[in-house]
């Protein structure tokens, strides 16, 4: 499912929920201006600044589950728009969903969320200038097995995907090589090695290097280092991935 499709499906599935009888703590812990901002626009026009305070207090001192479900499609949509750089990250969203016991929700609601998250991950790894870290893989693993996430990271499908991987491996490769890709107390060596073994990856990196060498020396140097690291892993027979 494409990300646009997944977002529209969220709005459709959760459309029955409203802000009717929405309450909030009146002891002063919630700013009246934040209450006004949340109610100032239609759902699909809300920006992160409009609901960031609400999200922190939702279900605790501001509204119930049905109210959170009302806002959830827009919260997830903005998360995708921010491409991992917003105030409300996937960690905050998963924490809230866990507190709300989302796995006990209606099956169509659970499916709509998971369809979105999978499409969001696919969008994340293929968008321009995504800053992907091992913690991101861990957050997405709240919904899917790491091997399923890694299996759709096609490094040869477009330039963005390859560039995002170069940055990811440049900053995390040494630790992964030395300790393995650790997600939730489990090591995913074989699954990560499958990324490095994708057909024509080294050829693509070589082409990318010569293109970057003329316009972006810093990026070209990162490609060179990543290429060397990959080549070393492919040649060393007793590396960590084969344990």
């Amino acid at each position: 499912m494409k990300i646009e499709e997944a977002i529209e499906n969220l709005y459709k599935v959760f459309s029955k929920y409203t802000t009717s009888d929405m309450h909030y703590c009146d002891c002063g812990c919630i700013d009246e201006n934040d209450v006004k901002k949340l109610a100032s626009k239609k759902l699909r026009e809300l920006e992160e600044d409009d609901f960031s305070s609400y999200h922190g207090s939702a279900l605790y001192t501001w509204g119930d589950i049905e109210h959170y479900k009302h806002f959830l499609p827009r919260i997830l949509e903005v998360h995708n728009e921010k491409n991992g750089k917003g105030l409300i990250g996937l960690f905050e969203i998963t924490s809230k969903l866990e507190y709300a016991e989302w796995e006990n929700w209606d099956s169509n609601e659970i499916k709509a969320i998971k369809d979105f998250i999978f499409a969001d991950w696919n969008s994340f790894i293929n968008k321009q200038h995504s800053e992907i870290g091992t913690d991101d893989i861990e957050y997405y693993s709240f919904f899917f097995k790491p091997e399923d996430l890694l299996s759709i990271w096609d490094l040869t499908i477009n330039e963005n995907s390859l560039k995002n991987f170069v940055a990811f491996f440049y900053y995390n490769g040494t630790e992964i090589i030395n300790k393995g890709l650790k997600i939730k107390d489990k090591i995913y060596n074989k699954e990560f090695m499958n990324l490095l073994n994708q057909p024509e990856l080294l050829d693509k990196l070589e082409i990318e290097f010569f293109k970057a060498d003329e316009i972006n020396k810093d990026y070209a140097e990162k490609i060179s280092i990543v290429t060397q690291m990959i080549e070393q892993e492919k040649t060393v027979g007793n590396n960590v991935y084969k344990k």
Side-chain angles (χ1 to χ4, degrees), residues 204-220:
K204 292 278 187 181
L205 286 169
E206 184 179 6
I207 294 169
E208 188 78 353
F209 170 80
F210 286 115
K211 282 167 53 182
D213 197 40
E214 297 180 0
I215 55 174
N216 190 337
K217 296 288 184 182
D218 180 62
Y219 177 48

Side-chain angles (χ1 to χ4, degrees), residues 39-234:
S40 66
K41 302 171 185 173
K42 295 178 180 179
L43 177 61
R44 299 192 72 153
E45 295 174 359
L46 290 170
E47 298 297 337
E48 190 176 47
D49 182 60
D50 297 319
F51 58 73
S52 57
S53 292
Y54 161 72
H55 194 271
S57 301
L59 307 180
Y60 307 140
T61 56
W62 196 344
D64 295 320
I65 288 180
E66 61 267 26
H67 304 126
Y68 186 69
K69 288 181 178 183
H70 168 76
F71 291 106
L72 185 58
R74 184 56 182 160
I75 291 167
L76 291 174
E77 182 180 21
V78 172
H79 158 73
N80 176 261
E81 291 172 355
K82 296 289 184 180
N83 203 35
K85 297 172 184 171
L87 295 172
I88 302 172
L90 200 56
F91 173 76
E92 286 77 20
I93 293 171
T94 55
S95 297
K96 193 67 69 173
L97 287 174
E98 198 166 28
Y99 182 82
E101 299 180 346
W102 76 289
E103 290 181 307
N104 294 326
W105 293 3
D106 292 345
S107 59
N108 65 326
E109 295 174 355
I110 296 170
K111 185 178 185 304
I113 292 171
K114 296 189 77 170
D115 284 345
F116 167 82
I117 293 295
F118 201 69
D120 179 60
W121 165 253
N122 192 41
S123 169
F124 187 41
I125 58 181
N126 287 295
K127 267 187 184 177
Q128 195 173 20
H129 305 310
S130 291
E131 296 174 4
I132 305 168
T134 54
D135 54 342
D136 292 301
I137 300 175
E138 185 159 350
Y139 299 151
Y140 281 95
S141 296
F142 179 81
F143 302 93
F144 294 98
K145 294 178 181 178
E147 53 263 41
D148 294 333
L149 299 171
L150 293 172
S151 69
I152 66 165
W153 196 349
D154 187 343
L155 307 182
T156 62
I157 195 171
N158 58 52
E159 287 188 4
N160 291 339
S161 176
L162 186 62
K163 285 180 179 177
N164 291 335
F165 175 77
V166 167
F168 172 80
F169 200 50
Y170 178 80
Y171 291 110
N172 300 281
T174 301
E175 183 173 358
I176 292 173
I177 288 170
N178 292 334
K179 299 180 181 179
L181 178 61
K182 187 177 181 181
I183 306 293
K184 295 181 180 178
D185 300 321
K186 184 176 177 182
I187 305 296
Y188 292 88
N189 291 335
K190 180 181 176 183
E191 291 80 3
F192 188 76
M193 196 61 184
N194 288 338
L195 275 181
L196 307 188
N197 285 328
Q198 286 187 20
E200 301 179 1
L201 174 58
L202 291 174
D203 292 337
K204 292 278 187 181
L205 286 169
E206 184 179 6
I207 294 169
E208 188 78 353
F209 170 80
F210 286 115
K211 282 167 53 182
D213 197 40
E214 297 180 0
I215 55 174
N216 190 337
K217 296 288 184 182
D218 180 62
Y219 177 48
E221 184 178 355
K222 286 183 172 65
I223 296 171
S224 177
I225 292 171
V226 166
T227 301
Q228 291 175 49
M229 293 169 73
I230 293 173
E231 288 175 336
Q232 182 177 357
E233 283 307 288
K234 285 174 174 286

Side-chain angles (χ1 to χ4, degrees), residues 24-26 28-38 62:
Y24 61 92
C25 179
D26 59 2
C29 62
I30 293 175
D31 193 323
E32 287 290 340
N33 290 324
D34 292 329
V35 176
K36 290 176 183 177
K37 278 199 294 186
L38 188 65
W62 196 344

